[in-house]
């Protein structure tokens, strides 16, 4: 198994879009009605992903050099964590989250927040995130969660 986590490049936009849409249709569709899935998909076209690459720190996980998962950090907010349905349950999401946490800690971020889907709430809970509140965007329920990061000890 040859997995790698790296910063995404513009060449990854189509693959990231495909992974997100497949995940929405196969995993999130169990928790959200079709109209919500269709609406969310519109935010993740390849063109939208290219724009996000300029706004966030977007990472990908590759398996044998093929992009199979993605996650991004938008200052202190974790966004768009998706794993290809064929690769779910293999630790890629956890690896991406560990990468985001390391980047956040290096930037002296004390609390990471995540707007979680219903589908991913248990995943984030197992990583130490706790529910703060629910938000509703029409029929779409989002669970706002957060986790305090360990502070690094300054040596002088």
């Amino acid at each position: 198994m040859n997995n790698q986590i790296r910063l995404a490049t513009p060449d990854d936009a189509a693959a990231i879009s495909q992974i997100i849409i497949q995940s929405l249709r196969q995993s999130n569709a169990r928790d959200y009605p079709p109209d919500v899935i269709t609406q969310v998909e519109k935010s993740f076209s390849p063109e939208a992903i290219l724009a996000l690459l300029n706004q966030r720190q977007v990472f990908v996980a590759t398996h044998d050099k093929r992009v199979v998962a993605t996650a991004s950090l938008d200052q202190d907010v974790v966004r768009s964590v998706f794993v290809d349905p064929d690769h779910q349950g293999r630790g890629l999401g956890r690896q991406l989250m560990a990468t985001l946490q390391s980047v956040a800690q290096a930037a002296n971020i004390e609390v990471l927040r995540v707007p979680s889907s219903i589908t991913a709430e248990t995943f984030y809970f197992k990583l130490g995130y706790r529910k703060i509140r629910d938000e509703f965007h029409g029929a779409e329920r989002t669970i706002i969660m957060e986790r305090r990061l360990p502070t690094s000890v300054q040596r002088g």
Side-chain angles (χ1 to χ4, degrees):
M1 198 151 86
N2 186 6
N3 294 332
Q4 178 188 8
I5 294 185
R6 60 172 172 76
L7 277 167
T9 68
D11 290 341
D12 297 321
I16 291 169
S17 173
Q18 183 179 6
I19 287 163
I20 292 173
I21 290 171
Q22 285 178 334
S23 296
L24 288 168
R25 290 179 180 172
Q26 293 183 39
S27 300
N28 296 68
R30 289 178 251 150
D31 298 311
Y32 293 94
D35 58 317
V36 170
I37 297 296
T38 300
Q39 189 61 38
V40 173
E41 282 181 14
K42 292 177 184 175
S43 300
F44 295 108
S45 67
E47 296 77 21
I49 299 298
L50 281 172
L52 290 175
L53 289 172
N54 293 320
Q55 299 167 14
R56 307 174 180 171
Q57 292 176 282
V58 180
F59 293 86
V60 293
T62 61
H63 177 75
D64 294 332
K65 298 186 181 180
R66 187 176 142 253
V67 175
V68 294
T70 186
S72 62
L73 190 62
D74 185 359
Q75 297 177 40
D76 65 342
V77 180
V78 172
R79 297 196 178 273
S80 308
V81 180
F82 289 95
V83 178
D84 178 284
D86 292 338
H87 289 83
Q88 290 176 2
R90 299 181 188 179
L92 292 170
R94 283 181 175 275
Q95 290 174 11
L96 282 163
M97 289 298 292
T99 298
L100 296 183
Q101 181 176 317
S102 294
V103 170
Q105 285 177 290
N108 295 316
I109 293 171
E110 295 179 9
V111 177
L112 269 182
R113 294 177 293 132
V114 61
S116 174
S117 64
I118 296 166
T119 312
E121 182 179 13
T122 302
F123 168 75
Y124 293 118
F125 183 81
K126 288 178 181 176
L127 294 177
Y129 288 78
R130 297 298 173 255
K131 178 180 173 177
I132 303 303
R133 67 182 181 281
D134 284 337
E135 285 186 2
F136 290 87
H137 308 278
E140 180 186 356
R141 175 179 167 222
T142 302
I143 301 116
I144 306 302
M145 303 179 79
E146 70 178 25
R147 177 181 179 200
R148 182 162 295 282
L149 297 179
T151 55
S152 56
V153 177
Q154 296 288 332
R155 296 183 185 206

